[in-house]
Amino acid sequence: WQNFQRQWKAPEGSEHYVSSIQLNTKDNAWLTPIRTVYEEEEASSSSTYPPNVMTVCTVPNLDGDLNKHPKVTVVTNDNKGKKNDNNKKKKRYQAKWFYETNMYSTLDRAHVCQVLSRYGGSVLDSVQPELQVYTVAIIDDETETEMVFTNVPRRAIQFYDAPYTTDATALRGTNATFRKEIGLPTNLVPEVWMDLV
């Protein structure tokens, strides 16, 4: 252990690490506006969100054929002429966000999203911060669709750690974590188990 402590070096890029829990629970986090993807592009590198976090939106369930769904509008089938890697045109849909019972208590309503716009005034200037709402996009590469939700409240947008970026998973398989097998004396193991070795 002492050798490990002396030789340990922080993994590359770890100086930028901020846990999603810190972003979600800091003072008045629900009052803090979420920056749009365009604001993130324009921000200096020191003020952007850390690379290990992603925005996740809790949205209502829209089962069935989106082309026939009563709460969904087909925006366009050509994504403004843009094509994906397979040279197919993406389908774009739009729906107004609405609350469903228990939607915040299950992760099956949570999807990685891009925050496209924020409107409704400043959260800090308002006596009703819930009036500030967002437009978000959820892109499903498998089905070649982009679902845009309008009127998404701040509460429905949270930060999550991107896969394999937490200290529990990012360092697995590297020399940056201390791993030592624990031996078990054979006299502690019943003889009937010993024939299984």
Side-chain angles (χ1 to χ4, degrees), residues 1 9 17 48 59 72 75-76 84 89 91-92 95 103 109 128 146 150 156 163 182 191 193-194:
W1 172 249
K9 292 180 183 152
Y17 178 82
T48 59
V59 296
V72 175
V75 177
T76 178
N84 63 13
K89 295 179 179 180
K91 297 175 187 155
R92 297 182 76 217
M103 71 187 301
R109 301 283 190 271
Q128 294 179 299
E146 178 179 346
T150 60
I182 299 173
E191 277 191 42
W193 292 2
M194 297 298 281

Side-chain angles (χ1 to χ4, degrees), residues 100-116:
E100 286 183 322
T101 306
N102 298 324
M103 71 187 301
Y104 293 115
S105 62
T106 177
L107 285 177
D108 67 341
R109 301 283 190 271
H111 302 276
V112 175
C113 63
Q114 295 178 338
V115 178
L116 303 178

Side-chain angles (χ1 to χ4, degrees), residues 115-128:
V115 178
L116 303 178
S117 64
R118 175 181 60 249
Y119 49 98
S122 169
V123 172
L124 299 176
D125 294 338
S126 175
V127 292
Q128 294 179 299

